[in-house]
Amino acid sequence: MSEVFVTDVLQQEEHLFLVAAQWPRWHVFYGSSPEGYDSALISETLRQATILVAHTQLGVPLSSRFLLPHMEVAKEEVRGPDGGRPADVTLFVRVSGLKSGSRGATSLQVDAQFLVENTVVATASAGARILNENTYERFRRREVMNPQATAVPLPVGISEAVLGCLSSRNVVLGGSSTAGSWVLRVDTSHPIYFDHPIDHVPGALLTEAARQCIRAFVGQADLDVRSYSARFHKLVELTAKTTLSVEHVVQRPDGTTSVGVDFRSAEGELLARVVAIVPRLGDEPVISGVGANYPGK
């Protein structure tokens, strides 16, 4: 239960819910940066809040499966946690686009505002597909081309110092011979990503892989993104080799940089794309050596 951050939910009005959460003062995985609260902690809290609201307020059975095909997170430029005590967080969660079938809710959209001490620290949104057990099993049988495939060997992770990880277990990138490209490293024994049985790579691992990819690319281990937009086109299989690459780098007029990370299968199929905004630190944009690091794709 140590990875459950949401604590309560209360309906404010139709389709608007107040969700309480608490973020720990220290965590072996989630941290903070000069850019405020951890974007990964924000997105995980949104995921949990979405599921909590669906189960407790919308009548979705506990046996249902959730797929989040897209998620957006945007942090405000506020001071991060002081580290002396947990942060009590309030989420205003609005549900829209609710669709239902004969067995209840099948899809919805959530938009959330995160407040700490009455200050907005982030906004986020996500779409959710809700499948009952039978539908999910049919969906997975259709998706998995070779259910007898054995898991690929766990790649050797790159240095945790490069990625700002407190533990080598949190490294989700393996090395690649191609500049600006890495191999996804999926450790199914990881206690946070796989705290419950799951038959595919969770979205939280993919978005963290994109962040680590950007950190390695720009050479800044403590970098957190200011915002990101993630689109998951297909489930990423545990048994397949997946590569990540920096494909889109755009300098923005405000001094920030947009960086895109693509996830592809061994056959080259686009599985997911995460586009993040990297903040300016100091007088120069974070990405100053694009010519040396960017593979020019």
Side-chain angles (χ1 to χ4, degrees):
M1 297 296 291
S2 63
E3 305 308 323
V4 177
F5 304 119
V6 293
T7 59
D8 201 3
V9 59
L10 177 68
Q11 184 167 4
Q12 292 289 96
E13 58 186 61
E14 187 176 16
H15 305 309
L16 179 64
F17 305 91
L18 189 66
V19 177
Q22 188 175 80
W23 289 337
R25 60 181 179 176
W26 186 89
H27 197 282
V28 71
F29 178 77
Y30 302 105
S32 60
S33 72
E35 290 296 310
Y37 292 89
D38 189 342
S39 62
L41 184 56
I42 294 166
S43 58
E44 174 59 16
T45 305
L46 177 67
R47 185 189 71 85
Q48 293 183 15
T50 301
I51 295 173
L52 177 66
V53 168
H55 285 320
T56 64
Q57 307 297 310
L58 304 178
V60 173
L62 293 176
S63 60
S64 297
R65 302 293 191 98
F66 287 78
L67 300 176
L68 274 62
H70 65 86
M71 179 179 287
E72 290 79 32
V73 170
K75 303 196 307 181
E76 299 293 332
E77 294 185 66
V78 298
R79 185 178 65 182
D82 60 19
R85 57 189 174 87
D88 292 319
V89 188
T90 301
L91 287 73
F92 288 94
V93 178
R94 184 170 294 279
V95 175
S96 61
L98 181 62
K99 296 181 180 180
S100 300
S102 59
R103 298 188 179 183
T106 58
S107 65
L108 55 85
Q109 167 80 19
V110 294
D111 295 276
Q113 190 176 56
F114 292 70
L115 285 78
V116 177
E117 297 181 351
N118 295 317
T119 298
V120 177
V121 300
T123 57
S125 63
R129 291 179 61 194
I130 304 169
L131 307 177
N132 62 50
E133 288 184 292
N134 291 336
T135 302
Y136 184 79
E137 288 179 5
R138 290 196 299 271
F139 168 71
R140 291 301 285 141
R141 283 198 298 269
R142 187 173 66 248
E143 284 287 297
V144 180
M145 298 301 294
N146 183 10
Q148 304 302 319
T150 57
V152 296
L154 186 65
V156 176
I158 65 177
S159 170
E160 61 264 34
V162 172
L163 303 175
C165 297
L166 296 177
S167 167
S168 59
R169 293 197 69 184
N170 293 338
V171 173
V172 294
L173 297 185
S176 167
S177 59
T178 304
S181 179
W182 292 266
V183 177
L184 186 65
R185 185 173 186 268
V186 182
D187 177 4
T188 56
S189 69
H190 196 284
I192 296 174
Y193 294 126
F194 296 93
D195 63 342
H196 63 280
I198 186 170
D199 63 0
H200 60 274
V201 181
L205 193 154
L206 298 177
T207 52
E208 173 60 16
R211 180 167 68 169
Q212 291 187 15
C213 181
I214 294 170
R215 285 175 173 174
F217 182 72
V218 305
Q220 188 158 340
D222 65 349
L223 176 71
D224 193 13
V225 301
R226 179 169 294 173
S227 65
Y228 76 79
S229 174
R231 293 289 185 274
F232 306 106
H233 303 295
K234 295 195 67 174
L235 296 186
V236 177
E237 303 296 343
L238 300 173
T239 58
K241 180 180 179 181
T242 303
T243 58
L244 308 77
S245 58
V246 174
E247 297 286 352
H248 319 277
V249 178
V250 179
Q251 301 290 347
R252 289 155 50 97
D254 62 359
T256 60
T257 304
S258 173
V259 184
V261 177
D262 284 356
F263 294 75
R264 294 187 180 275
S265 68
E267 296 74 31
E269 181 182 13
L270 180 65
L271 304 174
R273 173 171 291 165
V274 177
V275 179
I277 304 301
V278 176
R280 175 196 293 270
L281 296 182
D283 295 330
E284 297 295 332
V286 172
I287 299 180
S288 58
V290 171
N293 296 320
Y294 183 50
K297 296 180 181 179

